[in-house]
Structure formats: C-alpha cells, structure tokens
Amino acid sequence: MELTNALRKTIQSLDTVKGRRATSLFMAEGTKCVLELIPFFKLNCLIATSEWIDQHKIADIESDNVIVSGRGEIRKISRLTTPRDVIAVFEIPESVDLPCDLTERLVIALDRVQDPGNLGTIMRIADWFGVTDIIASNDTADCFNPKVVQATMGAIGRVKIHYVDSLADTLAGLSASMPVYGTFLDGKNIFDVPLSPTGVIVMGNEGTGISDAVARAVTSRLLIPPYPAGSDTVESLNVSMATAITVAEFRRRQY
C-alpha cells in the first residue's frame, strides 16, 4: 500500500463531517490513541515511520494496511500542531441502537454540546467513571471529528454515543422507568440531595445550557454550588468540568 495523492486527499477530507460520511472513515494520531483504538475499530490503513513500526510490533495488523512514511509526509497530513510518528485511518462502524434496558446503568445525555474538545473530554470522563453509553442530540458534535478522537485518548473505543432525532422525546420515554437528572442554576445542591446509582445525567449546551424541551423531561434538577455559598464567582462551569464533578459525585455515593 502506498501513500498516494488520492489517499492524502481522502485523509485530509476526514477533517469534515461531509468527508467522513462520504468515506465512512475517521482518523486518529499518536501512539497512545492509535494503539488504544486498534482492538475496537477495523483498520483501513496505518501510516508510520519505520522507527515506529520497528518499535511497535502489532500482530493483528496486516502488512497490506501499513504504509512506511517519513515524518515530513506525516506532517503534511497531520491535524496536530506537533505531528506524531503514526496516523491511523479506521472504518466508522454502523450506528448502534440504544440498549433496550438502561435502567441498571448510569448514562450521560448531551443536549447540543458543540465543542469537539468538550465532547472528547466528556467521553474520557465517562470512560474513567464506567459510563459506557452516552445519548446525544443530533446537533451535538460528531464523535468521529479528529479533535474529538484525540481528546478521548482512546475512550471512544469503549464509550458508545447514540445520536437521537429527539433527545427530549427519548428522555421523556426513559423518565417513566429511571430518574433523569439535569444541572441548572436553580437546582438543588447536588451534595445535599439523594442520588440514584442509576439514571440519566443531562448536560447542556456550552452557551445556553439545557433546552426547554429537554428540561421538561428532567425529573430532578441539580446545582453544583460555588464555594462559599453566595460568593461572587464565574457565571458558570465549562460543560466538561461540570460533567466530571457531577458524575464523580454519583459514583462517590456508591463507594
């Protein structure tokens, strides 16, 4: 296999949603990210320096899928400020239906989270705390965006995102059998209220928070309070930071 001009153009197209949808491919860069994802996704091709290939003997990779390249060529197709010695292109798997029974799980739901870095970090947080499923509105960032993939640091292989046409309707259906939590400025102090070990935790858009339609499906409104209470602080927390605090508190109650 060779690094042809056609392949270069294909890899460069993966920076856009249109390109990923047209090819059903996504890319990952860097040793840790690539090695983490190889067991979970079908490899289309791996482009690496000869030194990297010699150092990382991967039995499951067919030689036909490996392209030996210099750092200069890798730099031309890299999306990183500091290019690494390896780039992998994987096939995007077919979408996975939402599990039929979520009542025994802790699940995250994302309402229009649009920053790729935030989404990738949230997936990494989910992986750390054993959350394997995320429900997301269709206008949430694409999880196969290269910036998302890099930010997950491999978590995208273990955490599944289920995009739904109507997050409000999906949560309304789930609320009949499990609690649906959301973070709001007028919610109850998360550190003082009972929390179920299972349920859905809804996190909202970076600028506008949880939409009114989705808020109507929330059965318990939570607040991450500033310290000390009533003090002048920043207006709000970054959504990925708020997710980490919220999920950590749910898990802390289980220890």
Side-chain angles (χ1 to χ4, degrees):
M1 195 170 185
E2 297 181 3
L3 185 56
T4 62
N5 286 332
L7 181 55
R8 288 190 189 92
K9 290 180 179 178
T10 295
I11 294 173
Q12 289 168 346
S13 76
L14 303 183
D15 204 33
T16 67
V17 173
K18 181 179 179 181
R20 293 190 293 275
R21 288 178 178 171
T23 60
S24 294
L25 299 172
F26 74 98
M27 67 181 291
E29 299 189 57
T31 299
K32 178 174 176 53
C33 192
V34 169
L35 294 180
E36 286 272 2
L37 298 188
I38 283 174
F40 296 101
F41 298 99
K42 185 174 181 179
L43 182 69
N44 177 273
C45 67
L46 184 141
I47 305 162
T49 63
S50 57
E51 293 84 0
W52 191 93
I53 293 171
D54 289 340
Q55 183 178 357
H56 302 278
K57 301 292 185 181
I58 306 173
D60 294 337
I61 297 181
E62 296 180 9
S63 58
D64 290 346
N65 292 335
V66 177
I67 300 172
V68 180
S69 181
R71 289 188 177 90
E73 284 297 317
I74 292 175
R75 187 177 297 111
K76 291 178 183 178
I77 55 177
S78 173
R79 290 293 176 268
L80 301 179
T81 304
T82 305
R84 312 296 169 79
D85 287 347
V86 60
I87 292 175
V89 177
F90 296 98
E91 295 184 10
I92 295 176
E94 294 184 5
S95 58
V96 180
D97 291 336
L98 196 63
C100 295
D101 187 8
L102 292 173
T103 57
E104 298 302 316
R105 307 187 194 191
L106 188 64
V107 181
I108 295 171
L110 302 179
D111 183 15
R112 302 164 298 124
V113 171
Q114 296 175 342
D115 182 84
N118 282 335
L119 177 58
T121 302
I122 289 170
M123 294 180 72
R124 191 173 175 181
I125 291 164
D127 191 35
W128 181 261
F129 286 111
V131 176
T132 57
D133 293 280
I134 294 176
I135 308 169
S137 61
N138 272 337
D139 45 1
T140 289
D142 176 19
C143 65
F144 293 108
N145 180 309
K147 293 180 180 178
V148 177
V149 174
Q150 292 306 124
T152 71
M153 294 300 291
I156 193 172
R158 291 175 290 271
V159 178
K160 299 293 182 289
I161 292 197
H162 310 275
Y163 290 92
V164 294
D165 292 331
S166 173
L167 183 60
D169 290 346
T170 300
L171 294 178
L174 291 173
S175 66
S177 56
M178 61 195 302
V180 177
Y181 299 91
T183 53
F184 299 87
L185 292 177
D186 64 350
K188 295 181 179 180
N189 189 327
I190 188 173
F191 304 119
D192 292 339
V193 298
L195 299 175
S196 170
T198 61
V200 183
I201 300 170
V202 184
M203 306 304 297
N205 174 267
E206 290 88 346
T208 59
I210 296 173
S211 64
D212 291 342
V214 170
R216 286 192 285 272
V218 171
T219 59
S220 182
R221 298 167 73 97
L222 303 175
L223 166 70
I224 301 172
Y227 185 87
S231 60
D232 290 330
T233 63
V234 294
E235 183 179 351
S236 63
L237 290 170
N238 170 277
V239 64
S240 58
M241 294 173 61
T243 302
I245 294 168
T246 303
V247 178
E249 180 62 15
F250 272 80
R251 290 307 197 203
R252 185 187 70 83
R253 305 286 183 94
Q254 295 180 261
Y255 280 102

